[in-house]
Each structure stands twice: as C-alpha cells, then as structure tokens.
Amino acid sequence: MQLYSFCFSSTSYRVRIALSLKGLYYDYKAVNLRAGEQRTEAYIQLNPAKGVPVLVTDAGDEITQSMAILNYLEEIHPEPALLPDDSLAKARVLELCNIIACDMHPVNNLRILGYLQSEFGVTEEQKNQWYKHWINEGLQAVEAHLLKHGFGTFCFGERPTLADVCLVPQITNAVRFNCDLSAFSRAMAIYEHCIKLPEFERAAAANQPDMIN
Ligand SMILES: N[C@@H](CCC(=O)N[C@@H](CS)C(=O)NCC(=O)O)C(=O)O
C-alpha cells in the first residue's frame, strides 16, 4: 500500500495510527501542505478534494477520506479490531469519531484558516482565537461523551479503538496550537497514555520522513 500523507496532518495521522496498530507496511508519499502540493494538477487527479490522506491499496485502488480509509482497513485487515462487535458499543465509538471528524476538524482545516486570512483580513491573533474556540467547543463534547460512556485506559476499554485513533491526532494539534486543555482531564489522560505506546509513537509527526520544523 501507499499512503499520501503530511507529517502534521491530523487526518493522515489517524490513518498512520491504524496502519501501525494493525502492523501494516506501506510506502510513505509525502505531500507538503504548507507548500500547496495538495492543489497541484497532478494531485487533484488523485484527490479532487485537495487533501490528505489518500490510501492506494495493494490492488492500486485509491481511497480518499480518512474515515473511509479506516473503515476499509478495518474490513480488509480485521485484526486487531478497532471497532467493537456490539452495535451500541460501536455507535459509541463512532459518535466520538464523528465529533472530531465532522464537527471539529473541518472548521480548523488549513484551507479554512487560509481563507479567513486572505478573504477577510483576519489577523494571526484572530485566527488563533478562532482555532482555540472550536477546539474548546469540540473537546467539551468529547469530554462529556467520554465521561458519560467511556471506560478503561483507552476511550472505550483496555484496547485502542477508532475513537483513540481520532482523539490523539486532534489533541496533538491542540497542543501544538497552545490550547488550554486543562478542562479535559479524561481526554488528556487517554492522550498521555496513548502517545507513549510504540504503535502511536511510530505514527507521530516526529517519526515521519517528511518531518519539518
Ligand atoms: N475529511 C477529510 C479531510 C482531509 C483534509 O482536508 N485533510 C487536511 C489535512 S489534516 C488537508 O489536506 N488540508 C489541506 C488544505 O486545507 O488545503 C478526511 O478526513 O480525510
């Protein structure tokens, strides 16, 4: 397999964690988002949505959208399972994934922050205020969900699920943007636990071939 990825991309990081947890080998194809490589003609042929990640399967099929890629990996490589069998338990995991993937990530995506600056003259300070506001809103929902339905060392139990796969990259970004995360003690405890595990560490930005400062 091949993974089109950017070291600091949280959506790519989700997929890197899942590949690592499942012990799957892949070729790393770096896409420098800061240099705008996601908007080149060649890349748009690969992903018209102009983003990472893209997974190219062993058969050469291209899959975009991190949640679709995670679902594919779960079905093709079911062990270790990152979703519970029980329907309600699975819904709980996916609820948390969707808070992050649907409610939080899109409003703070690079292109949104760039548009705020280029079209509306938003200052760096205002951009950071926007970013922190949506992180805080989203993590309040995450924390409440974890307190209501979560248990164990990970989000849901003693083994990582897709909830942890989505949570860790989102918190990593929040830490990078100096957000105040003191109100989210359950989410932070899970994050601190996960990032020390070799499977998560392998997938971190610092360990990617395109790591830049
Ligand atoms: N919903 C998509 C979002 C993909 C996406 O936009 N990824 C970000 C990086 S985390 C990106 O490539 N942004 C490029 C840009 O905004 O120009 C997914 O989950 O894969």
Side-chain angles (χ1 to χ4, degrees), residues 16-42:
R16 297 196 305 255
I17 295 169
L19 287 163
S20 175
L21 286 167
K22 287 177 181 290
L24 298 170
Y25 174 80
Y26 58 96
D27 283 334
Y28 193 97
K29 300 281 189 186
V31 182
N32 188 335
L33 298 187
R34 289 185 185 164
E37 287 178 6
Q38 72 278 29
R39 294 189 295 273
T40 61
E41 277 310 313

Side-chain angles (χ1 to χ4, degrees), residues 9-11 14 33 38-39 50-53 65-67 105 109-111:
S9 150
S10 64
T11 52
R14 289 174 200 161
L33 298 187
Q38 72 278 29
R39 294 189 295 273
K50 304 177 196 158
V52 286
Q65 293 293 334
S66 60
M67 298 314 294
H105 175 269
N109 204 352
L110 190 62
R111 72 187 71 132

